[in-house]
Amino acid sequence: MKDKTIDYILRATWQAVSRMYNEEAQKYGATMATGFALLSMDKDKGTPSTSLGPKMGMEATSLTRTLKSMEEKGLIIRKKNPVDGRGVLIYLTEFGKEKRELSKSTVLKFNDAVKQNVSAEKLLHFMEVSETINELISEKKIFNI
């Protein structure tokens, strides 16, 4: 594609990042989704299962599958919400907390590598452009113009 579109660049870049994280996670018997879930959970207070999907931008079925796998691996435990018995809180086990730290260091390595190769000014512009794209989408200003 001679003139790459913005969405093409975003998609190709995200696919490369996703592939990179999955390759790294595979070394530890995990997936990018597992690492992202670990980082999205409160490490001490527990996290309502209903807040994880929107926080991670994941569909309910994918989230359910990820949480089931995490529970089977001993990364999390589920407990009834003491405030609302209909809900479930998800807690990290000690093993889950260890893997959360590993996920965190992996993300920080990626960030450091990018910061070492991209100027602060370019990163600021990237953040601004990303924010603008998200606003245009959330405010439905793309196809309703």
Side-chain angles (χ1 to χ4, degrees), residues 54-111:
K55 196 180 221 181
M56 296 175 56
M58 250 183 158
E59 295 294 325
T61 42
S62 297
L63 180 62
T64 300
R65 196 171 34 249
T66 299
L67 292 176
K68 183 177 184 214
S69 169
M70 291 174 73
E71 196 169 26
E72 289 169 356
K73 291 177 181 175
L75 297 166
I76 61 168
I77 55 172
R78 302 177 204 220
K79 296 181 182 177
K80 280 192 176 184
N81 187 334
V83 177
D84 178 0
R86 299 170 297 173
V88 173
L89 292 177
I90 299 169
Y91 292 88
L92 295 173
T93 62
E94 285 306 312
F95 182 56
K97 289 177 184 179
E98 289 173 26
K99 294 301 181 185
R100 183 182 194 278
E101 287 306 310
L102 179 61
S103 296
K104 184 177 175 180
S105 72
T106 302
V107 169
L108 292 176
K109 281 181 194 174
F110 171 74
N111 276 270

Side-chain angles (χ1 to χ4, degrees), residues 107-126:
V107 169
L108 292 176
K109 281 181 194 174
F110 171 74
N111 276 270
D112 289 344
V114 172
K115 287 177 181 179
Q116 288 174 12
N117 290 278
V118 178
S119 71
E121 182 182 6
K122 284 183 179 180
L123 273 175
L124 178 63
H125 290 305
F126 172 75

Side-chain angles (χ1 to χ4, degrees), residues 13-81:
T13 302
W14 176 246
Q15 286 174 342
V17 169
S18 178
R19 201 169 32 255
M20 173 199 68
Y21 277 138
N22 272 316
E23 285 172 9
E24 188 63 22
Q26 200 170 28
K27 295 175 187 176
Y28 305 98
T31 64
M32 183 186 77
T34 300
F36 193 28
L38 288 168
L39 292 170
S40 299
M41 293 178 200
D42 185 290
K43 66 180 182 177
D44 299 313
K45 298 177 186 173
T47 304
S49 57
T50 53
S51 73
L52 275 177
K55 196 180 221 181
M56 296 175 56
M58 250 183 158
E59 295 294 325
T61 42
S62 297
L63 180 62
T64 300
R65 196 171 34 249
T66 299
L67 292 176
K68 183 177 184 214
S69 169
M70 291 174 73
E71 196 169 26
E72 289 169 356
K73 291 177 181 175
L75 297 166
I76 61 168
I77 55 172
R78 302 177 204 220
K79 296 181 182 177
K80 280 192 176 184
N81 187 334

